[in-house]
Amino acid sequence: APDGCPWDREQDHHTIRFHAVEEVYEMIDAIEAGDDRELKEELGDLLLQVIFHAQLAMERKAFDFDDVAAGIVEKLIRRHPHVFGNNSDADNTEKVLTQWEAIKKAEKEGTEHQRDSVLDGIPRHLPALSRSEKLVKKARKAGLIPRDYTGPLPSMTQDEIASRLFELTSLAQASGWSAEALLRKKTDRAEEELRRLESESVSRSAADADRR
């Protein structure tokens, strides 16, 4: 500005919010293709999105690119006490991930982003299948998976499961529905039920503690 790109000047955080998603998928394509030249270009495109948002934020006096860079440096140091501090207990991947989640939860306590539920922190705009997988993983880890989600596992190969998913997608489309939208709605309902179960479990634990 004032002689920059007219299109750029019309944008804000909201109008370009999904551009970063597209760039990430193009980066993944480059990685899976083993194409370093394309990967370099896609990383640049993704970096442009970071710079664009930082510039928009600077112009409204919220933060700038240096603040973004400093923030991630501070976060990485804070969440790696086994590297930068005196904590030597996290000596394997499982312990590191458990410690990471505990530190992240502590960071957000007392803020508007406080995570009161074990299911908090799953981005709602994830693709439906990715969001469903994360929800199930968190719920299973916390022991929240209801009985009708469990039972004997069917004897199916990876290819058979993949074929079933593809068949269901085809069936949804043939019926005039979007498999993505259907799974998103189902995941929303499942999350509501899992949160209800979590709340009941917390209430029972509190009642048991009071009786003791």
Side-chain angles (χ1 to χ4, degrees):
D3 299 319
C5 175
W7 182 87
D8 287 354
R9 290 198 297 270
E10 293 174 357
Q11 307 314 308
D12 58 28
H13 295 295
H14 189 82
T15 60
I16 64 171
R17 67 194 187 283
F18 290 120
H19 292 198
V21 176
E22 182 178 346
E23 300 299 353
V24 167
Y25 283 129
E26 291 180 355
M27 179 193 71
I28 293 172
D29 285 347
I31 291 172
E32 294 192 345
D35 189 331
D36 284 340
R37 181 176 179 180
E38 193 71 10
L39 176 58
K40 180 178 69 173
E41 180 178 342
E42 297 305 336
L43 286 170
D45 290 345
L46 184 56
L47 179 59
L48 174 61
Q49 295 303 308
V50 176
I51 293 172
F52 204 149
H53 282 286
Q55 176 67 23
L56 290 168
M58 184 181 71
E59 290 176 4
R60 58 188 179 84
K61 296 180 172 54
F63 56 83
D64 61 20
F65 184 83
D66 287 344
D67 295 326
V68 173
I72 189 59
V73 169
E74 291 170 2
K75 178 188 288 187
L76 289 174
I77 293 173
R78 189 168 61 247
R79 294 188 184 178
H80 286 77
H82 54 294
V83 176
F84 299 103
N86 299 318
N87 183 353
S88 59
D89 294 334
D91 54 3
N92 60 52
T93 298
E94 183 179 355
K95 290 180 180 179
V96 167
L97 293 177
T98 298
Q99 175 182 260
W100 180 284
E101 288 300 322
I103 294 172
K104 182 162 64 173
K105 182 178 180 180
E107 288 172 355
K108 297 182 183 298
E109 284 183 0
T111 74
E112 59 182 316
H113 302 294
Q114 179 169 315
R115 296 183 176 179
D116 298 316
S117 168
V118 296
L119 304 178
D120 288 343
I122 303 175
R124 296 197 63 80
H125 282 95
L126 277 176
L129 186 57
S130 295
R131 181 169 166 238
S132 180
E133 286 182 326
K134 281 188 173 290
L135 179 68
V136 169
K137 183 178 181 180
K138 280 179 172 280
R140 191 183 301 282
K141 185 176 180 180
L144 293 174
I145 296 292
R147 293 176 184 173
D148 62 346
Y149 279 51
T150 58
L153 293 174
S155 178
M156 296 179 67
T157 66
Q158 290 183 2
D159 187 61
E160 287 171 335
I161 293 174
S163 296
R164 184 73 61 84
L165 288 170
F166 188 81
E167 290 166 4
L168 290 172
T169 301
S170 300
L171 176 61
Q173 187 180 56
S175 302
W177 301 319
S178 162
E180 173 79 10
L182 291 176
L183 181 57
R184 187 170 294 279
K185 289 180 181 178
K186 173 59 181 177
T187 303
D188 285 341
R189 294 195 297 271
E191 183 173 348
E192 289 178 5
E193 174 65 10
L194 290 167
R195 287 181 181 275
R196 183 186 66 78
L197 290 171
E198 180 186 30
S199 179
E200 290 178 354
S201 176
V202 171
S203 296
R204 284 195 299 270
S205 296
D208 291 342
D210 288 342
R211 283 195 292 270
R212 289 197 296 270

